Amino acid sequence: MAAPAPDPQFVLRGARSAVHALHFCDGAQGRPLLLSGSLHGLVHVWSLQTRRPLATLDGHGGQCVTWLHTLPWGPQLLSQGRDLKLCLWDLEEGRNAVVDTVCLESVGFCRASVLAEAPRRWMLAVPGRGSDEVQVLELPSKTSVSCLKPAAGARLGMPMCLQLWQAESSPRPLLLAGYEDGSLALWDVSARKVCSRVACHSEPVMGLALDPRRARGVSGSAEKALAVWSLEGQQALQVCGTHELTNPGIADLKIRPDSKILATAGWDHRVRVFQWRTMRPLAVLAFHSATVHCVAFDAAGLLAAGSGDQRISVWSLYPPT
Amino acid sequence: MDPMASAVRLAVQEAVRILSSSEDGGHIISTLRSLRRYLGETQTQAPPEEQEEFSRTHFSTVLRCLVGKLSPDWLGLMPDGQLEELWASFFLEGPADQAFLVLMESIEGAASPSFRLMKMAWLLARFLSAGRMAAVMEGQCGQQAGPASRLLQETLLTRVVSLPDRLGNRLQRETLAAFFPQNYFPLLGEEVLRVLHVVVDSLRGGLDCSISFLSQVLGKACVHGRQKEILGVLVPRLTVLTQGNCLWQRVCWRLVECVPDRAMEAVLKGLVEAAPGPDVLSRLLGNLVTKSKKAQFVMTQKLLFLQYSCPTPVLQSLLGYLAMDSQRRLLLMQALKELLETWGSSSAIRHAPLEQQCYISKAVLICLAQLGEAELRASRDELLASLMEGVKSRLDSSLPPVRRLGMIVAEVASARLHPEGPPLKFQYEEDELTREMLALAAPQPAADGPSEAGLPVAPVSGESPDQETVDGGGPQAGHEGSDSELDSDDELIPYDMSGDREQRSSKTPAYVRDCLEALTASEDWERWEAALRALEGLVLKSPAATCEVSLELAKVLLHLEEKTAVAGFEGLRQRALVAVTVTDPARVAEYLAAQFYALNYSLRQRMDILDVLALAAQELSRPGRLGRAAQRGPPGPGSQPSGAMIPDWQVVVEERVRRKTRRFCKGSVGRATAAGPNEFSAVAGYFFFPLLQRFDRPVVTFDLLGDDQLVLGRLAHTLGALIYLAVNTAVAVPMGKALLEFVWALRFHGDTYVRRGLLSAVSSVLLSVPAERLLADLPDELLEARSWLADVAEQDVDEDCRLLAVKALLLLEKLRDRLLPLSSP
């Protein structure tokens, strides 16, 4: 007899609207913080000790915050909102001021992706001006590195999710993009060409997660299945298999930093946890009462899920050894 | 006169004279020794003729004389108890029957309590322990039956069997352990067995013997109710002895055959109960049932139809015995026919107690299992006719156990009688009884069946782990390879994911009116189902909106049919109806109660109305209902993380507070439920009175006093529940009055379920209506009810009815007791 489904370790309330973005980061004295972005444009900074918001950042004019990311140096936060702005916040020493903004040109739900190696020169991928374009910028100079536009007859639709990364073996940054028609494309950013493309879903790809160590990834869409794919030789995408779900619709996926488990945020109000290596289902977390929009892992293995029911649940499952 | 006889007489007369007059111990001893010559155990034996003459004519005289002399002084004439030993030897070594009779006679004649009585009792105990009882009975086996000896036998028989009673009467508290019935009868059994051994030996030797005395002893002991003690010893030994031994079997058969008719029933019942199985019974009884009319009556009628106390294994060995021989099988067939006839008779179903019906059903099943197909086919029509009638009247019954018996027997019997036809299959809940009955219906396994059946289980269970390991090996093999450094996450154990179901589409209506519309007009079954599921919660959440449409909603719900296979449809509908009734009790209850007698409803709907009314009344009368309803709050997803995780600091703080706090006393821990008015009070009349209005006026589709007695029973139960829930309200008094009238009109109803309902209704009235008002307003009704209850408590066939009546009587008593101290000062 399996153990009954676990309960959340704690629940954060007070976002006061649906939670659309979550991100863990290291705060002062190495204490982890949880950042959440809400439908009404607020970014809350939660202390995991007191379980109360430490600060509330209002920089998106009441428009939904769809993506949050911190840069590895200094407490600098990137937030993407549907007000067509991507803000860079300085959180050092309790400050919470916007130090820079990037204007976006697409109003879709596509989340940005960042490849941050050094403070002087880092890269950001955002949906571009044309409906099927992805723009890659170099920051902090905000110069456009390239504009990735599919071939004329491809009909991929809008980009839905992006992932920038650079393989250790090669100096060339790569971009994975999931498109509206359900296909996944691997771009060589500097060459501005599609290295490989594979149709893994029949519905728009809603989220993807990549495990660079295994060169494997997983994507979820509006349909009832997850697709697991691999990057053969870092260049060719290949679908390894699909995994059937009980209910359709995946909003977000994350793989834990130690590559042990995968969590998905489902439209069916549930968070599903899989063993990443085998895609064996491990748990179904049925706590939320509305669509789960986002999941996030912290380095210590905590899992957070944000949902349309305005709550953030925090779980401690299969603690890393 | 024969010189030898007169010589003996003279010697005895002389001895008796000396014994009765002499005070010289030595003289007495020598006289006694000379008399012992006639008993034939001294060195100087008297000639055999003289011995015989002595024992036939003079022995009792001598014994009586010895008894008469018994006193402490007399025994003290010689030292060391020599005299006593010699005295006792006459009783223990002389002819046993006479010694026994004299012993019993002197014990009964002795003054109580006295030295002589105790001496004689001890002597009798020695007599028993020396095995002389076997000698008594053995003496009767060889004898020819003359009128004199028959009289003697009769006397002996009475004394032998009633020994514990007689001794108990004489000795009162001083009686010896050997004379307790639980010790004496097993001893008697042993003695009977010893005599049987002697008989068998002498039969082997070619001598003729009669064992009718033994049969009579056995019969009489059994009639006295000592089957367990005596047969408990006899049957196991006889079981062993008769195994493969024809002579013993014949002796055994003869033993039972010779039992007098009036004792036959007791003996047979004892044997059937004591025998471990049909084959043993068959060895012990032989074809007794075909030889003795009385035995046949006992075995095929009395134990099957007139009694129902035998446990199932006994019934099995009884019917198994009948099935073991071709001559007896005819009787078994006959018994099956009669059993089925009784089983199917509607009058028996109505009047026989449930236990007996169960007993007969079991007997039918065992008979069916014992009889072969060919035999059954021969009288198939007859059997089917009574079966069909029985099934029909049983399924009509309002008692679930009776119906279930009907279903089980019908299933099994039809499968046996019509093996070629499609199997009959009923739906009933499995419980212990049904499993037992179905096990009975399975053909009996051979004697060594269980051990064989046990064997194949082992390899199967041994195989499964193998399979598991094979299964487990598959995926592992598949994933070996690529990344070995990351393979260490095998220990992740999945949680329970059984709750992961497909999500319902989000068509759930959000308002009561939407539900109403979806339920009436929607062709979209998902929406229909979602509306049904959501309705109860919506109604409870928004009472005001519900009140606007309460009547329509009740109407729709009442007429709602299960169009798709919705799980738990009945419960959903019922809960929704209850919620609507609770929200707007006056109007909805009045409507529902009126519909109860309306024309076009099915019995199901009418019973639903009753259930809903009772449940709604219960909900309304629940104290603290409002508080609970408010607390309920947002349903479903608001479930808290389970309280297992109290933070550490909180535990520490609480512990510290507890250590530093002194408490002088502790109040009650549980929160008291808030007091509040009984909401049912105001509307009870709407629930109650319309239901009583027209029960005696049948309509075309609904005849409460006729066929629809099931609904009548439900009605009686519901009315009882309603008045019980109306406790402490002003309206309870007129309700009670009306209900007692209703009960009075129906008190002799033939259906058990209805009677139960009436009885529980009476109890509810007694509980609900205040005692003073009962006495002031309804004295005549109470008196009438009391006499009726007393009647039911004594005479009703149904155990539950009797029990309910007794409970109601007790309540009446309590009522009186409560009033008496009030009125006395």
Side-chain angles (χ1 to χ4, degrees), chain B residues 298-357:
Chain B
V298 168
M299 297 288 264
T300 60
Q301 301 285 323
K302 195 134 193 186
L303 289 180
L304 292 181
F305 295 101
L306 303 178
Q307 299 184 347
Y308 52 94
S309 57
C310 297
T312 318
V314 171
L315 195 57
Q316 263 175 317
S317 60
L318 167 63
L319 293 169
Y321 160 73
L322 290 181
M324 285 190 79
D325 185 278
S326 56
Q327 284 177 302
R328 284 179 252 152
R329 279 185 95 86
L330 298 177
L331 288 175
L332 184 63
M333 194 67 223
Q334 187 58 35
L336 174 60
K337 281 178 197 164
E338 288 173 21
L339 278 169
L340 259 184
E341 204 170 306
T342 313
W343 185 81
S345 130
S346 63
S347 141
I349 292 172
R350 223 168 314 125
H351 298 295
L354 191 61
E355 295 86 51
Q356 186 174 16
Q357 301 193 25

Side-chain angles (χ1 to χ4, degrees), chain B residues 326-652:
Chain B
S326 56
Q327 284 177 302
R328 284 179 252 152
R329 279 185 95 86
L330 298 177
L331 288 175
L332 184 63
M333 194 67 223
Q334 187 58 35
L336 174 60
K337 281 178 197 164
E338 288 173 21
L339 278 169
L340 259 184
E341 204 170 306
T342 313
W343 185 81
S345 130
S346 63
S347 141
I349 292 172
R350 223 168 314 125
H351 298 295
L354 191 61
E355 295 86 51
Q356 186 174 16
Q357 301 193 25
C358 198
Y359 184 79
I360 288 190
S361 306
K362 282 181 188 166
V364 168
L365 293 184
I366 298 172
C367 282
L368 284 171
Q370 295 282 2
L371 284 168
E373 211 162 283
E375 288 162 296
L376 288 175
R377 190 167 305 134
S379 39
R380 178 154 89 180
D381 295 338
E382 200 179 334
L383 292 175
L384 270 183
S386 26
L387 178 71
M388 286 309 154
E389 195 190 341
V391 171
K392 182 181 157 297
S393 30
R394 266 168 201 277
L395 291 183
D396 271 350
S397 165
S398 48
L399 297 181
V402 175
R403 289 203 293 269
R404 203 179 309 162
L405 282 181
M407 294 178 195
I408 297 171
V409 174
E411 274 183 14
V412 174
S414 67
R416 294 285 287 140
L417 294 175
H418 252 298
E420 66 276 11
L424 193 58
K425 190 78 195 146
F426 289 100
Q427 284 183 330
Y428 48 84
E429 284 161 29
E430 285 232 338
D431 64 357
E432 209 168 304
L433 181 67
T434 54
R435 276 192 287 276
E436 187 191 343
M437 305 227 8
L438 290 176
L440 286 182
Q444 294 289 304
D448 52 352
S451 62
E452 275 183 348
L455 277 178
V457 179
V460 168
S461 60
E463 237 166 77
S464 55
D466 289 3
Q467 266 176 344
E468 239 169 281
T469 51
V470 168
D471 288 352
Q476 269 171 6
H479 287 276
E480 264 168 62
S482 58
D483 33 19
S484 51
E485 86 278 12
L486 294 165
D487 279 354
S488 56
D489 51 0
D490 286 327
E491 73 275 10
L492 304 185
I493 301 151
Y495 289 95
D496 179 24
M497 286 176 286
S498 53
D500 186 25
R501 306 246 167 66
E502 241 175 86
Q503 205 183 18
R504 309 258 156 209
S505 62
S506 53
K507 290 176 176 175
T508 313
Y511 300 99
V512 176
R513 274 178 193 280
D514 284 355
C515 280
L516 190 60
E517 186 246 292
L519 287 179
T520 46
S522 179
E523 288 294 313
D524 176 356
W525 298 123
E526 274 186 27
R527 184 170 154 78
W528 185 84
E529 189 183 331
L532 188 59
R533 287 187 191 281
L535 189 53
E536 190 199 359
L538 289 177
V539 166
L540 291 179
K541 231 192 300 185
S542 48
T546 308
C547 282
E548 291 169 17
V549 290
S550 59
L551 271 188
E552 291 97 283
L553 204 52
K555 207 178 289 179
V556 167
L557 283 171
L558 188 59
H559 290 271
L560 204 61
E561 281 172 14
E562 187 176 8
K563 292 177 188 163
T564 55
V566 178
F569 170 80
E570 290 298 332
L572 286 171
R573 183 173 79 131
Q574 189 181 55
R575 281 203 298 278
L577 252 180
V578 170
V580 174
T581 316
V582 167
T583 312
D584 190 10
R587 281 196 297 162
V588 177
E590 199 180 11
Y591 167 76
L592 286 178
Q595 295 309 301
F596 181 71
Y597 287 110
L599 206 54
N600 291 318
Y601 283 97
S602 69
L603 295 187
R604 177 74 251 168
Q605 281 168 316
R606 292 183 208 273
M607 294 210 278
D608 282 345
I609 290 178
L610 291 177
D611 288 349
V612 165
L613 285 178
L615 287 171
Q618 189 182 16
E619 179 67 23
L620 281 171
S621 65
R622 192 154 56 83
R625 190 177 80 84
L626 291 174
R628 269 275 296 280
Q631 268 177 23
R632 210 178 278 169
S639 68
Q640 300 296 317
S642 65
M645 299 177 291
I646 303 173
D648 297 343
W649 61 267
Q650 202 170 337
V651 175
V652 172

Side-chain angles (χ1 to χ4, degrees), chain B residues 1-152:
Chain B
M1 189 181 262
D2 184 4
M4 182 272 293
S6 59
V8 172
R9 195 174 68 238
L10 278 178
V12 169
Q13 273 174 356
E14 177 61 17
V16 166
R17 195 183 56 75
I18 291 167
L19 285 177
S20 44
S21 57
S22 172
E23 298 285 321
D24 176 5
H27 197 188
I28 290 172
I29 288 218
S30 64
T31 313
L32 286 175
R33 290 222 169 103
S34 73
L35 276 179
R36 264 176 68 90
R37 282 173 58 235
Y38 295 111
L39 296 182
E41 266 133 38
T42 47
Q43 297 90 343
T44 56
Q45 283 190 2
E49 308 86 56
E50 289 188 16
Q51 279 187 27
E52 196 180 320
E53 171 69 15
F54 174 78
S55 61
R56 197 172 59 223
T57 328
H58 304 290
F59 186 55
S60 347
T61 327
V62 173
L63 288 182
R64 286 204 183 94
C65 168
L66 285 175
V67 169
K69 284 311 288 178
L70 185 64
S71 71
D73 295 343
W74 193 76
L75 289 179
L77 288 178
M78 283 301 282
D80 306 336
Q82 283 180 28
L83 196 51
E84 186 175 354
E85 205 42 50
L86 199 56
W87 170 80
S89 70
F90 276 86
F91 291 92
L92 298 177
E93 286 159 25
D97 45 356
Q98 294 184 45
F100 179 66
L101 285 179
V102 171
L103 269 173
M104 291 300 289
E105 177 191 299
S106 59
I107 285 175
E108 285 180 67
S112 122
S114 66
F115 173 76
R116 180 181 296 171
L117 181 63
M118 286 319 290
K119 270 288 170 218
M120 300 308 291
W122 277 107
L123 185 58
L124 182 58
R126 268 183 77 186
F127 184 86
L128 291 180
S129 63
R132 296 299 286 168
M133 197 52 98
V136 172
M137 292 188 281
E138 198 184 320
Q140 299 306 313
C141 284
Q143 284 182 3
Q144 269 68 42
S149 76
R150 186 164 303 147
L151 197 64
L152 177 69

